[in-house]
Amino acid sequence: MLHQISGEGGLGFCHRALPSLLPRGYHGPLVVSLDSNVLIDFQKHGNGLMDDDVRVSEARYAEELNCLGSLLDLWMLRDIRFVTTRRAGTDAKRGMTGFQDVIEGLAEAIAFQYADWGFPAPSRSDPNSVGDERGLPDGADRDLLLEAQAVGAHVFLTRDHKVLRRAAMTGPRLRIAAPSGLVEELHRSGVTMLGGGLCSEPDCPHALTTPLLPDIGKWGPLLACFQDR
C-alpha cells in the first residue's frame, strides 16, 4: 500500500519522467526514506524549513536545509511520502527532546496518505531484507539502508557523506541522495509543485483519476510535530 496511488496525497510521478528514481512502468508516489540525521534536521529546524527562515552559520549545511525545505514545499502538493523505519528510532541522538514526536508525525502523515489510518506505517514493522549493502561496516547506517530498500523506498535521504560515498547496494534499486542532490534531480526533470514528473501515456492513472490538489488534511500530522521546536 505504500505505493498505492491516492488522491489524498496529491499528484504523483511516473517512471518515464524520472527514470533514475522510479522503477520501470511505475506510476505513483515518490517514496523517500529518511536517515536519522534528516529527522534531526526536521526536529531542530522544522518551523524554519516551512517558513524559509533557516538560520545556521555553516554554508553547506544551510544549503542542505534549504533544499530540505524545498522538498517540503513539493510535498505540500505532490505525493511524496516520507517514511521512517524502525532503526531510525534507535539511532544516534534518539534521546533528543522532540525526536520521537517527529518520527510519530511522519508515520501519521504516511498513514493519512494510505487513506487507511489502521494500516501500520513502515516504522511499526521489521521489514525483511530484499538485498544487501557491501560498502559500509555493520551498524545503523547499513540497517537504515536495508530497511529503506525492504519497505520499497525509491530514495534514501541522508546528509552523511560516508554513506553517500561508500554505500553499495545490491537488489532492488535504492537511490541514495542528499537533499540538494534530490532537489537538483527533480528540478532538472521539470518537477514543480503543480506539475512535471509525469509521463504522456494516454492511460496514465494520474492523468485519468488523480486530482491536482491533495486533501489539505495530510499537512496536519507533519506540521503539528514542528510546533514549538
Side-chain angles (χ1 to χ4, degrees):
M1 294 185 70
L2 182 57
H3 302 92
Q4 180 177 316
I5 294 173
S6 168
E8 289 91 346
L11 192 62
F13 304 88
C14 303
H15 160 78
R16 182 170 291 184
L18 296 170
S20 63
L21 296 178
L22 302 175
R24 188 174 301 277
Y26 182 84
H27 309 271
L30 176 66
V31 180
V32 180
S33 184
L34 302 178
D35 196 353
S36 53
N37 54 58
V38 177
L39 285 168
I40 291 169
D41 291 339
F42 277 134
Q43 190 271 335
K44 286 184 174 180
H45 304 288
N47 285 327
L49 293 171
M50 297 304 303
D51 297 336
D52 295 323
D53 186 27
V54 172
R55 300 182 183 183
V56 296
S57 58
E58 204 275 307
R60 189 170 183 177
Y61 184 31
E63 178 187 6
E64 294 299 338
L65 288 176
N66 285 326
C67 288
L68 188 57
S70 295
L71 288 174
L72 279 176
D73 289 341
L74 286 173
W75 170 85
M76 298 287 283
L77 298 182
R78 302 299 298 266
D79 200 353
I80 298 175
R81 302 190 184 180
F82 296 120
V83 299
T84 63
T85 58
R86 185 176 293 276
R87 189 67 168 94
T90 59
D91 197 7
K93 300 186 179 180
R94 60 190 179 279
M96 294 175 62
T97 301
F99 184 81
Q100 192 61 35
D101 291 340
V102 173
I103 295 178
E104 294 295 330
L106 287 165
E108 288 188 29
I110 293 306
F112 178 86
Q113 293 178 47
Y114 286 139
D116 179 359
W117 287 99
F119 190 85
S123 58
R124 301 296 191 276
S125 59
D126 292 310
N128 295 319
S129 295
V130 294
D132 196 9
E133 194 290 316
R134 300 176 178 174
L136 299 169
D138 288 341
D141 292 333
R142 288 191 76 249
D143 293 343
L144 286 163
L145 285 166
L146 292 171
E147 286 182 343
Q149 186 183 52
V151 301
H154 303 122
V155 181
F156 181 74
L157 199 67
T158 182
R159 290 188 298 99
D160 189 320
H161 300 301
K162 178 184 67 177
V163 174
L164 291 166
R165 290 193 312 267
R166 299 181 185 177
M169 305 294 296
T170 64
R173 178 194 297 179
L174 175 68
R175 182 64 175 274
I176 303 167
S180 58
L182 180 55
V183 165
E184 180 182 355
E185 183 151 2
L186 292 173
H187 286 178
R188 189 168 57 243
S189 300
V191 173
T192 69
M193 293 177 71
L194 298 177
L198 302 171
C199 68
S200 57
E201 297 173 7
D203 59 346
C204 175
H206 297 307
L208 294 172
T209 62
T210 304
L212 180 61
L213 299 178
D215 186 324
I216 61 174
K218 87 164 189 169
W219 303 346
L222 183 60
L223 302 188
C225 71
F226 293 156
Q227 298 303 308
D228 301 319
R229 300 274 172 238

